[in-house]
Amino acid sequence: VAHESMHKSTQKATDDANKAGRQGESCRKFVILDEDWTEDGGQLTPAMKLKRNVVVKQEAEQIADLYAGEKKK
């Protein structure tokens, strides 16, 4: 239930942001993860910057699911 409520409010904010931007810059899909990204978890640097290579490895399945079925341009 909490996920559903969070998903709905995030979807509304995303829809509002998409209306304000260009179509090529819009967010079409998103996933709310169960865990936070932290320095201790290895996803963030001490300066709180995202370690993309770590996140891509850890969330490979989620990322693949987001792009599944999309047409290549």
Side-chain angles (χ1 to χ4, degrees), residues 8-62:
K8 284 182 181 180
S9 63
T10 303
Q11 184 66 62
K12 182 181 178 339
T14 301
D15 292 343
D16 292 345
N18 285 344
K19 289 177 190 171
R22 293 184 285 190
Q23 184 177 0
E25 298 173 347
S26 65
C27 177
R28 293 179 293 279
K29 298 179 184 179
F30 63 89
V31 173
I32 299 173
L33 302 172
D34 291 328
E35 67 279 340
D36 293 333
W37 292 344
T38 64
E39 184 182 351
D40 290 339
Q43 301 91 353
L44 301 177
T45 69
M48 303 305 286
K49 294 180 182 178
L50 183 68
K51 294 182 180 179
R52 288 180 187 254
N53 59 333
V54 173
V55 172
V56 167
K57 286 179 185 174
Q58 290 180 346
E59 305 299 340
E61 187 175 330
Q62 293 279 5

